Amino acid sequence: GWSDAEPAPKLLSETQARDYNYGIFSFRTGNIYTARMLRQWLGYAFDEAELPAEYWQNDKGRICDPLRPAIEPDGFVDQAEMRASRAATLAAIRQAVKGANVFVFTMGLTECWRNRETGLEYAMCPGTLAGEFDPAQHEFVNQGFAGIRRDMRAALKVLRRANPKLKVLLTVSPVPLTATASGQHVLTATSYSKSVLRAVAGELAMEYEHVDYFPSYEIITHPAYRGMFYAPNQRSVVPQ
């Protein structure tokens, strides 16, 4: 089974635990959509990179973590609570990586938002859920093959150092984009994103003996399956 390295505190009910995003991810990072976000989290967990000092405020004045702004439904009381919560997640990442046999990562997006000065990549665009968008400070980036491969190689290096026996299984998300900040039509933006991610995944699987690729993207999207694995919205993948 999958490793839940950051289980919910026993005082929370099952509903409360789900509301606070426990039991959904192996560690409470929220979705990690991009190679850079994976590299960032692993770098922070294994002391390869300095933790960012940046924080956001929501409309109630509470504190949100730019790395996972939706993880705490109402935000944190202050920066100290945010940092303590993040430290618990980083400890969970270390525990999970060191104790795992296989690390599964779904490559999801090429589009992202970053801090122009520090290079920090956010989980979502500043000013959407929390924080304020500043065009002088924040930039849209649509990542290319070389950059994604570089970030994935760096992430694989951290994983290998932490657990030399760890195998890595890559997949590509079959869920199409519903919107794009690239200026292109969402259909071509989706095609670009999936093509680049699939190409990187394939190259890494060929390059590294301990890395493999599972074709969930092909299983869901191939014309032979006539879209039967998509919900009526033609985006969500059905449980079956």
Side-chain angles (χ1 to χ4, degrees), residues 179-196:
T180 173
S182 67
Q184 298 190 17
H185 192 282
V186 73
L187 290 178
T188 53
T190 294
S191 180
Y192 168 81
S193 177
K194 302 302 181 184
S195 300
V196 170

Side-chain angles (χ1 to χ4, degrees), residues 192-237:
Y192 168 81
S193 177
K194 302 302 181 184
S195 300
V196 170
L197 295 173
R198 178 62 184 91
V200 173
E203 184 146 315
L204 293 172
M206 287 189 290
E207 184 179 355
Y208 295 92
E209 194 174 326
H210 70 290
V211 177
D212 202 356
Y213 172 77
F214 179 76
S216 55
Y217 176 79
E218 288 80 0
I219 290 169
I220 302 298
T221 64
H222 196 279
Y225 299 107
R226 301 174 188 272
M228 69 173 72
F229 300 129
Y230 281 117
N233 65 7
Q234 291 299 301
R235 182 172 188 265
S236 305
V237 177

Side-chain angles (χ1 to χ4, degrees), residues 27 29-46 48-49 67 90 93 97 103-109 121-122 143 148 151-159 168-170 204:
F27 19 80
T29 55
N31 286 319
I32 301 176
Y33 288 114
T34 70
R36 175 65 66 87
M37 282 296 291
L38 176 65
R39 179 181 182 177
Q40 284 181 172
W41 276 113
L42 291 172
Y44 301 143
F46 291 98
E48 305 268 340
L67 295 173
L90 295 175
I93 293 174
V97 168
F103 187 93
V104 183
F105 181 62
T106 298
M107 303 176 74
L109 292 174
E121 186 166 302
Y122 305 114
Q143 302 167 56
I148 294 170
D151 285 330
M152 285 301 299
R153 281 174 169 169
L156 290 171
K157 194 173 180 181
V158 177
L159 290 171
V168 176
L169 187 62
L170 298 176
L204 293 172

Side-chain angles (χ1 to χ4, degrees), residues 74-123:
D74 302 315
F76 297 101
V77 173
D78 53 26
Q79 292 181 58
E81 187 183 43
M82 181 196 81
R83 286 193 290 269
S85 175
R86 188 194 279 168
T89 295
L90 295 175
I93 293 174
R94 288 191 292 274
Q95 176 190 330
V97 168
K98 288 178 179 178
N101 296 316
V102 180
F103 187 93
V104 183
F105 181 62
T106 298
M107 303 176 74
L109 292 174
T110 57
E111 297 189 13
C112 66
W113 296 87
R114 292 179 185 165
N115 185 300
R116 292 180 187 273
E117 186 180 338
T118 65
L120 177 69
E121 186 166 302
Y122 305 114

Side-chain angles (χ1 to χ4, degrees), residues 35 55 57 87 92 224:
Y55 66 92
Q57 282 186 299

